[in-house]
Amino acid sequence: MSLLDLQRDMRAWLVDEDAVAANRLGGGDVAAGLRIHLNNFRAQLTACLEESFAHTRAWIGGDAFHHAVVTHVERVHPGSWTLDAYSRDFPATLKLLYPADPEIAELAWIEQALAEAFAGPDTEALTAAELHDVDWDNAVLRFTPTLDLTELTTNAPAIWSALAQGAEPPAVAMLSETGAILAWRDGEMPRFRAIDQIEHQALLRLRASLPFGGLCAGLVELLGEEAGVARAGAMLGQWLADALITSLGSGTRLDAPEQPLPPAHDA
Amino acid sequence: MIAPFSGFGLGLRKPHYAEFLETRVAVDFVEVISENFMVEGGRPRRILREVRERYPVALHGVSMSLGSADGLDGAYLARLRALVDEVDPLFVSDHLSWSRIEGFNSHDLLPLPYTNAALDLVCANLDRAQDVLGRAMLIENPSTYIDFAPADMTEWEFLDRLCARTGCGLLLDVNNVFVSASNHGFDPLAYLDGIPHARVRQIHLAGHSQGSELLIDTHDQPVPAPVWELYAHVLPRLGSVATMIERDDAIPPLHELLAELGTARHIAAGCVRAAA
């Protein structure tokens, strides 16, 4: 047997408990060793998910979490050299398993995003005091590479915070309209914040190099002159306070985003 | 050749970070798991920088997968090279094993058949790794639970030829010799007498557990008496080496590991007195 064939058979054993592959590897002579490696393989993946999603586990309970782990191990095979990568698809597995309980996948997203931000690239954030003579119309905001965003439909952030503090978590509540959540690292501290769709879309477009003037124009169109400019200023101030902006570049001013911002509600 | 280093160290583990950074721990070096610090930034990299300012550091990897039949992961090697450049480690080591094949990673140290074909493959992979890293590596003998037949050579003969062909050194894990010898029924003294002694630069000492059928390399126990006896047997045959205690689970307070390291120092001192 070639080394490649041997390694393919070992993979088949670990992933599928393939008895034919096990026989080719040596059958009874290697059975005890194969069982140890199968246990090692599963134990590594289980430990990875249990450590990565402790609050999600606390929320759904050990039995449900174990079922989710078994499903994930069957559904997703590890490919990266780092086990940290194995947890990335777990929120998607939870979404498949619990479509009627979206807070579960959203809790897991928060845990995963915070973990990724924890070891993400180091950057220095801009402060308000460093902003002089900025051509805001053409300014392109560069955000920390640890920033991640996703849509949010429940009060998962409040549930996560209560679990993290060892407090009684609130009951699940659906948001009146779909919002979003951002996660990033400020210094060495991973953080998250729930946001509305206007800020979500603003961040997506600015990250795609829309100049700040283009954002302002879109917000004025959406909210009116006074409210649009005020909202843009408020968001900019919050991003600076959150240490989200790392530098300013320059781009070509667009009078309005290619896609309209979402309809205003109580923004 | 890899420059020798004589001393006694510990593996750096999370429960002990603060003590290593806030006090002067009585070790000559620390060993870190390379992959734990092959991240882009944040607290892990800051801690490693601060540890490196206080102690010599050895980088010990678990994911190079030197025995992969489809070659090494170039992105992994590039990240490890960046870490090596930042840390300037005493040693860079990984295992005589494989973990990854065709996009699948088992995250386990899987065994190789000790055949001429496997030796050629591991030599080619190790040559590439050492080229990328710009330095020679130490290769650790694994604990094994499967003895693939037929083999063309013993594990210690495989390591001897690997060293001769690639210029690598050895990280001798004495516990792994004991575990594999027990599982496969070979004489651990024959193993320790058969390795190329001049190539050994580092020694791992650890504990193991009795599984239902085989001994398992769990690193969750103190170093047991038979492993100390093997250490005392091999040490006089070696040149300057860096000895360390490896504990990855059921991690005790630091003073307990330092006490175990004291046993290693005591055995080494006895070897020196016997040779005088």
Side-chain angles (χ1 to χ4, degrees), chain A residues 7-95:
Chain A
Q7 294 182 351
R8 284 173 172 161
D9 276 345
M10 188 66 107
R11 176 183 59 191
W13 166 253
L14 295 176
V15 171
D16 299 322
E17 279 188 75
D18 185 328
V20 176
N23 274 332
R24 281 195 296 266
L25 289 168
D29 291 343
V30 300
L34 288 177
R35 282 192 289 275
I36 288 173
H37 287 298
L38 182 62
N39 182 64
N40 286 351
F41 173 64
R42 291 175 176 172
Q44 284 270 38
L45 301 185
T46 299
C48 163
L49 296 175
E50 287 184 344
E51 288 170 17
S52 301
F53 300 99
H55 296 327
T56 306
R57 185 178 189 276
W59 177 250
I60 66 175
D63 290 345
F65 189 84
H66 179 71
H67 173 59
V69 167
V70 170
T71 302
H72 191 66
V73 170
E74 289 174 355
R75 181 175 167 262
V76 179
H77 300 155
S80 170
W81 56 267
T82 171
L83 260 177
D84 291 345
Y86 189 64
S87 53
R88 282 183 192 137
D89 295 323
F90 194 56
T93 295
L94 292 169
K95 199 170 184 176

Side-chain angles (χ1 to χ4, degrees), chain B residues 12-89:
Chain B
L12 181 71
R13 302 295 180 260
K14 275 184 189 173
H16 304 142
Y17 281 178
E19 283 171 276
F20 273 100
L21 289 174
E22 293 165 11
T23 66
R24 181 69 209 182
V25 178
V27 295
D28 302 308
F29 74 101
V30 297
E31 182 192 83
V32 302
I33 303 298
S34 307
E35 290 79 4
N36 290 349
F37 299 92
M38 287 165 61
V39 294
E40 294 180 283
R43 187 165 177 262
R45 294 297 287 263
R46 192 260 298 165
I47 285 174
L48 181 58
R49 283 193 295 274
E50 292 182 5
V51 166
R52 179 65 186 90
E53 288 171 6
R54 300 170 69 88
Y55 308 90
V57 168
L59 293 178
H60 183 52
V62 295
S63 295
M64 186 173 282
S65 193
L66 278 166
S68 280
D70 59 348
L72 302 182
D73 178 343
Y76 173 89
L77 290 177
R79 279 212 183 208
L80 180 57
R81 172 65 195 249
L83 189 67
V84 168
D85 287 346
E86 181 172 322
V87 171
D88 186 22

Side-chain angles (χ1 to χ4, degrees), chain A:
Chain A
M1 178 189 282
S2 73
L3 190 57
L4 181 61
D5 287 339
L6 181 150
Q7 294 182 351
R8 284 173 172 161
D9 276 345
M10 188 66 107
R11 176 183 59 191
W13 166 253
L14 295 176
V15 171
D16 299 322
E17 279 188 75
D18 185 328
V20 176
N23 274 332
R24 281 195 296 266
L25 289 168
D29 291 343
V30 300
L34 288 177
R35 282 192 289 275
I36 288 173
H37 287 298
L38 182 62
N39 182 64
N40 286 351
F41 173 64
R42 291 175 176 172
Q44 284 270 38
L45 301 185
T46 299
C48 163
L49 296 175
E50 287 184 344
E51 288 170 17
S52 301
F53 300 99
H55 296 327
T56 306
R57 185 178 189 276
W59 177 250
I60 66 175
D63 290 345
F65 189 84
H66 179 71
H67 173 59
V69 167
V70 170
T71 302
H72 191 66
V73 170
E74 289 174 355
R75 181 175 167 262
V76 179
H77 300 155
S80 170
W81 56 267
T82 171
L83 260 177
D84 291 345
Y86 189 64
S87 53
R88 282 183 192 137
D89 295 323
F90 194 56
T93 295
L94 292 169
K95 199 170 184 176
L96 283 174
L97 280 175
Y98 302 105
D101 303 298
E103 88 283 0
I104 297 173
E106 290 176 357
L107 275 174
W109 185 91
I110 293 172
E111 294 200 271
Q112 177 63 24
L114 293 178
E116 299 237 6
F118 177 74
D122 295 325
T123 52
E124 287 287 324
L126 276 183
T127 64
E130 293 174 283
L131 302 177
H132 304 289
D133 303 324
V134 176
D135 172 11
W136 286 107
D137 271 0
N138 295 308
V140 174
L141 279 56
R142 309 286 186 216
F143 292 91
T144 171
T146 63
L147 173 63
D148 198 3
L149 294 155
T150 195
E151 289 200 335
L152 184 71
T153 63
T154 73
N155 62 336
I159 295 171
W160 191 94
S161 296
L163 291 168
Q165 293 162 15
E168 183 69 23
V172 182
M174 298 299 292
L175 300 181
S176 57
E177 61 188 62
T178 298
I181 183 168
L182 68 155
W184 75 102
R185 194 179 76 234
D186 179 0
E188 290 190 348
M189 182 66 70
R191 296 174 60 187
F192 66 83
R193 180 162 63 82
I195 58 177
D196 64 14
Q197 271 299 339
I198 288 181
E199 187 171 355
H200 184 207
Q201 294 301 320
L203 284 167
L204 291 176
R205 287 156 203 218
L206 292 173
R207 284 212 305 181
S209 298
L210 174 73
F212 191 70
L215 175 70
C216 291
L219 288 169
V220 165
E221 188 175 297
L222 182 70
L223 304 172
E225 180 79 27
E226 191 175 338
V229 170
R231 184 68 202 272
M235 287 194 294
L236 178 63
Q238 185 65 54
W239 297 332
L240 286 166
D242 285 339
L244 283 168
I245 303 173
T246 57
S247 66
L248 297 178
S250 60
T252 303
R253 153 92 190 249
L254 301 176
D255 286 334
E258 290 177 9
Q259 298 294 321
L261 287 162
H265 292 278
D266 56 351

